[in-house]
Amino acid sequence: MDFQPSLLEPASSLVRQRRFLVLSLGNWPTDYLKRADPTLAAPLALYEKIKGGLRIVALDSEASKAGITLGQSLVNARALVPALTAREINRPLLEAGFADFADWHSNTSPMVAVLDDVSSFGDLVLDITGVDHLFGGEPAMLHMALTRLRLLGYSVNGAIAPTIGAAWAVSHFLSSRVVAADGLIGLLDALPVSALRLNEQQVATLAQMGLKTIGQLRQRPRKPLQARFGLSLLTRLDQAYGIIEERMTPRLPVAEHHVERRFADPIALMDDVLACAHDLAIQLAYRLEADGKGAQAFHLFLYRVDHKVMSLSVNSARLTRDPHHIAQLFAHRAERLSGEYDAGFGIDMIRLAASSLDALDASQLGAFSADEGTEDLDQLNDRMASRLGTMAVLRTQMVASNMPERAARLVPTQAGKPDMASSRSFTRPVRLLPVPEYVAISAEVPDGLPALMIWRRQQYRLVKGAGPERLETEWWRFAERLELVPPPEPKEPEPGKEPDPPPYIPDLPLHEPDGKARDYYRVEDEDGRRFWVFRLGFYSGPTMPSWYLHGFFP
């Protein structure tokens, strides 16, 4: 028999490192709806259409005491309890409400996740490693978490254990308690196999095999179990005992540095929130300075007394810990909220967190040091981006490509620093047309400099020119086509006048990677206007080349 040796020994050395709090709200759907609508009378049950029939999928404690069970048909439930209040379940509403409910619990621990293995609402897990001392220890923390939820009208059970699987099992199958690492094995061995978060088919098959408790399952050989149930059963077993680490995915960003303030009396005005944010920014700056770090992302969490959370996030182009600049970013960000800000019944806690951290050494300015102004410019861009939006403040970023339409792109000003080494050494126009436009060009000789240009039915006599600058296609790119604007349609002649002779319109081939090269010319007309034109094709080819205007020089 191939036992797992580590499972037969005390697990304290394996799972003592972390501690998890799981809150089980078995009647969450009905409790949530009754809080939102006090007119709903108990007993309350929610039904859903399953396999052509209406069946009960959620109920409150009164309905459960009356004998109604999950999975029972709605007709039988009404016959058993005539006074039953039945509503069709709205899963998107409940999932969204439970997500906000989970975020609110980040005032207890910064790492909160929804356990959706069994249901998308009803189970919360909090990583309380290193946090319990703020509440007077783990028993006091568990009591606080359960008491405040019960005062809000929720039926809840909870447990603290070294693993997520063990905390979930205890919260669902035992009374609320704190599980020590050295008592984990004996406690789990006595629980039923359904405490491993297995599906109904797996539980039924194990019952047919005579395996009712986790201890009996743990003593069985692993290879036959894996062959019959797959890897999921052994994974759940090892996660519960701490052999395999079960990772949680926090809903809110985890910040290495954060500061917070709790209020005896809730606040509601945005001015009070921003004033508190400025004070918290000063505290956060001291902590970052002590660690020699700066941050580029800052998050402000506003915890309302009605278990909801509002969050504001701002970014900085460079590492900073300047409290005044951080507070100004949130002030400008708040201006974009307009009517979206709603403090509800008040805010009883505010947390300011920093992420995207890196080393930032302190700098001392001497009496003769020169300020280049780049930091002030970055702060101005940060404030404009926080007020107008990230994509509203852009800069040009050069791209390693010779093709003009690919040589530059617009990126947010906060997306790193400009790469000065990528600037072009040859002359390019500052302004390009979105799409090259067809022009009629004539020259003294076929391959000579352009002498006359017709663009948008206007004639330009060219007196100067330079070129050509030949650009070949980039063979390493996938097949692409350069969009070209076709020549305008001829106008209808005015009455009594002869129509203009139709201009020569060559075929307008589209640019392909294996197509024709482009010869670019810088030309100037007699009025001093300078253009950037290119010829697509060669006069020596089987088809006549075509000319296009691509940009303008200042």
Side-chain angles (χ1 to χ4, degrees):
M1 300 181 67
D2 50 344
F3 295 115
Q4 182 74 13
S6 56
L7 289 180
L8 303 178
E9 302 172 359
S12 57
S13 61
L14 298 173
V15 296
R16 186 175 302 215
Q17 298 179 355
R18 307 206 67 83
R19 302 290 288 176
F20 298 94
L21 166 62
V22 170
L23 297 174
S24 172
L25 297 99
N27 298 332
W28 156 261
T30 53
D31 293 342
Y32 176 76
L33 294 179
K34 286 192 290 187
R35 277 185 51 85
D37 185 6
T39 61
L40 288 176
L44 174 64
L46 304 181
Y47 64 88
E48 187 177 24
K49 188 175 182 180
I50 300 177
K51 296 181 180 180
L54 301 180
R55 298 197 172 274
I56 303 298
V57 293
L59 43 82
D60 61 3
S61 57
E62 289 82 356
S64 180
K65 293 177 182 178
I68 300 176
T69 58
L70 296 178
Q72 188 176 10
S73 67
L74 180 60
V75 175
N76 294 339
R78 288 189 184 277
L80 182 64
V81 183
L84 178 66
T85 302
R87 295 288 186 273
E88 185 176 4
I89 191 171
N90 186 347
R91 291 190 178 275
L93 173 66
L94 295 174
E95 291 174 5
F98 196 72
D100 294 338
F101 183 75
D103 293 342
W104 179 68
H105 277 80
S106 60
N107 58 8
T108 303
S109 171
M111 298 183 64
V112 183
V114 176
L115 281 179
D116 54 1
D117 304 289
V118 179
S119 175
S120 55
F121 43 80
D123 292 320
L124 288 180
V125 57
L126 290 75
D127 189 340
I128 62 170
T129 306
V131 180
D132 59 286
H133 70 279
L134 301 175
F135 302 89
E138 291 183 352
M141 184 178 186
L142 178 61
H143 180 267
M144 180 276 299
L146 297 178
T147 302
R148 69 175 183 176
L149 291 180
R150 288 167 182 167
L151 291 176
L152 292 174
Y154 293 105
S155 300
V156 59
N157 198 28
I160 296 178
T163 65
I164 297 176
W168 187 93
V170 174
S171 65
H172 278 258
F173 292 88
L174 295 175
S175 59
S176 300
R177 66 185 65 187
V178 176
V179 181
D182 53 4
L184 177 64
I185 294 179
L187 188 66
L188 286 179
D189 284 349
L191 294 179
V193 292
S194 54
L196 293 176
R197 290 176 290 168
L198 305 177
N199 57 48
E200 297 180 358
Q201 183 178 359
Q202 289 175 328
V203 173
T205 305
L206 290 174
Q208 293 175 0
M209 297 173 58
L211 302 177
K212 297 182 179 181
T213 65
I214 300 178
Q216 295 174 346
L217 175 64
R218 190 166 63 88
Q219 299 298 326
R220 298 297 294 268
R222 295 173 64 90
K223 290 184 179 179
L225 291 177
Q226 180 177 353
R228 184 163 186 175
F229 296 94
L231 190 59
S232 61
L233 185 142
L234 296 180
T235 299
R236 288 300 187 197
L237 183 65
D238 292 343
Q239 287 176 345
Y241 284 92
I243 304 303
I244 297 178
E245 181 183 5
E246 181 177 0
R247 298 182 179 273
M248 57 181 291
T249 304
R251 283 188 43 82
L252 298 179
V254 180
E256 299 181 19
H257 288 73
H258 69 272
V259 292
E260 60 187 37
R261 176 173 295 178
R262 300 175 186 267
F263 305 98
D265 296 322
I267 63 175
L269 297 179
M270 177 56 74
D271 292 340
D272 296 336
V273 172
L274 295 178
C276 179
H278 185 272
D279 295 340
L280 293 177
I282 296 176
Q283 299 179 30
L284 183 63
Y286 281 124
R287 295 193 180 185
L288 292 175
E289 184 179 7
D291 292 343
K293 294 183 177 181
Q296 287 187 276
F298 302 91
H299 315 279
L300 191 67
F301 301 103
L302 312 179
Y303 294 87
R304 295 170 23 173
V305 296
D306 55 351
H307 60 270
K308 292 185 179 180
V309 184
M310 295 181 294
S311 61
L312 298 177
S313 298
V314 295
N315 296 306
S316 175
R318 64 168 66 189
L319 291 171
T320 183
R321 54 174 177 255
D322 182 0
H324 178 70
H325 180 52
I326 298 171
Q328 286 296 316
L329 291 182
F330 283 110
H332 294 313
R333 177 65 179 87
E335 294 180 3
R336 294 170 52 196
L337 294 178
S338 62
E340 299 179 7
Y341 173 73
D342 181 15
F345 295 102
I347 299 169
D348 58 0
M349 175 179 162
I350 296 180
R351 173 181 293 164
L352 176 61
S355 59
S356 300
L357 304 178
D358 204 348
L360 179 62
D361 297 331
S363 59
Q364 181 177 359
L365 297 178
F368 301 100
S369 61
D371 186 4
E372 300 178 353
T374 57
E375 183 176 359
D376 294 337
L377 182 60
D378 288 338
Q379 292 186 358
L380 174 62
N381 291 332
D382 292 342
R383 296 176 185 179
M384 289 192 300
S386 63
R387 173 179 293 181
L388 304 176
T390 304
M391 298 305 298
V393 186
L394 307 175
R395 64 173 174 83
T396 301
Q397 182 186 64
M398 305 305 296
V399 180
S401 175
N402 287 327
M403 310 310 292
E405 61 273 10
R406 302 193 192 105
R409 62 183 176 184
L410 294 176
V411 297
T413 55
Q414 298 175 329
K417 291 297 179 184
D419 185 9
M420 303 305 297
S422 61
S423 59
R424 299 291 184 262
S425 59
F426 44 83
T427 305
R428 287 285 175 88
V430 177
R431 177 185 168 199
L432 290 179
L433 289 171
V435 178
E437 298 186 13
Y438 172 82
V439 293
I441 293 286
S442 62
E444 296 180 358
V445 294
D447 290 323
L449 295 175
L452 185 67
M453 180 178 71
I454 299 177
W455 175 52
R456 295 183 179 179
R457 301 187 180 278
Q458 186 173 352
Q459 180 174 302
Y460 300 86
R461 185 172 299 278
L462 307 178
V463 296
K464 295 180 181 180
E469 175 193 347
R470 179 161 297 175
L471 297 183
E472 295 285 351
T473 56
E474 297 173 342
W475 55 267
W476 59 88
R477 294 185 179 273
F478 293 102
E480 298 178 5
R481 289 173 176 262
L482 174 66
E483 296 183 2
L484 301 174
V485 175
E489 297 292 335
K491 294 182 178 180
E492 293 291 335
E494 298 181 4
K497 293 185 178 180
E498 296 182 0
D500 296 333
Y504 170 71
I505 303 177
D507 295 335
L508 301 178
L510 295 177
H511 172 71
E512 298 182 6
D514 55 351
K516 303 176 182 177
R518 291 184 244 172
D519 282 348
Y520 278 87
Y521 294 85
R522 304 191 304 273
V523 295
E524 181 179 335
D525 70 351
E526 54 190 356
D527 294 327
R529 290 169 294 207
R530 304 174 66 203
F531 308 94
W532 204 39
V533 298
F534 70 88
R535 183 183 67 231
L536 190 64
F538 303 98
Y539 287 102
S540 59
T543 59
M544 293 293 293
S546 53
W547 288 82
Y548 294 90
L549 174 63
H550 205 167
F552 307 91
F553 290 95

